[in-house]
Amino acid sequence: MSNNTQVPDIKHQLILNAPIDKVWDAVATSKGLELWLMKNTFVPEIGTSFTMQSSPRGDFDGTIQCQVIALEKPHLLSFTWNGGPLTDLLVTIELKEKEGKTEFKLTHAGWSENVRPIRDMLDEGWIKGSLPRLIAYLEGN
């Protein structure tokens, strides 16, 4: 069996009851990302490196190294994700305006078989932690 077994991307899609500009501020500013994802040093500029801080686990200090690779306000943000055993992952957030609401698509791609348990744990984190916090932040007021 080859090492390149395709592990499915993490994909989530939501319709958020919030205007696209508000959703963009939540996904493409350091303050916004901190409210629903993690503490970070994000700067909305292509090529900029930044870090996000998750919980340390084992030998992993919790620091995720990222770099902005695509930024098209208010529709697209894409950044690399490297931390601990995770390398060459890519997070892409796509937004589309839908009659005053916003379609939110998240893709967390680049997984390999040797990190499948971490992929499954992070998918659960998106489902049970980050995305509900995003919804609560955007729709809670």
Side-chain angles (χ1 to χ4, degrees):
M1 186 184 227
S2 88
N3 290 345
N4 294 336
T5 307
Q6 189 59 37
V7 176
D9 294 343
I10 293 173
K11 290 187 176 195
H12 296 291
Q13 186 169 338
L14 308 167
I15 298 291
L16 296 164
N17 190 15
I20 196 168
D21 291 336
K22 184 174 180 182
V23 179
W24 180 256
D25 285 346
V27 302
T29 65
S30 179
K31 183 181 173 194
L33 285 168
E34 184 171 341
L35 290 169
W36 67 277
L37 191 55
M38 290 175 236
K39 287 188 174 184
N40 64 83
T41 60
F42 177 81
V43 176
E45 205 172 285
I46 291 177
T48 303
S49 295
F50 67 100
T51 59
M52 292 192 294
Q53 196 60 47
S54 69
S55 305
R57 280 194 175 81
D59 293 339
F60 174 50
D61 70 1
T63 303
I64 300 161
Q65 303 288 335
C66 306
Q67 184 177 23
V68 179
I69 61 162
L71 188 73
E72 296 170 20
K73 184 179 181 176
H75 298 288
L76 176 70
L77 169 64
S78 194
F79 56 88
T80 60
W81 175 300
N82 296 283
L86 304 179
T87 56
D88 301 322
L89 297 182
L90 186 64
V91 173
T92 301
I93 296 171
E94 297 170 89
L95 305 178
K96 281 187 189 154
E97 203 156 8
K98 296 271 186 186
E99 297 162 8
K101 298 181 180 186
T102 305
E103 181 184 82
F104 170 98
K105 282 187 190 174
L106 170 96
T107 305
H108 198 165
W111 301 98
S112 58
E113 192 59 49
N114 62 325
V115 294
R116 186 183 281 263
I118 300 171
R119 178 231 177 259
D120 295 343
M121 183 186 72
L122 282 179
D123 193 19
E124 192 168 302
W126 285 114
I127 294 167
K128 294 184 176 173
S130 300
L131 296 177
R133 284 193 302 270
L134 177 64
I135 293 165
Y137 167 62
L138 290 168
E139 298 185 2
N141 47 24

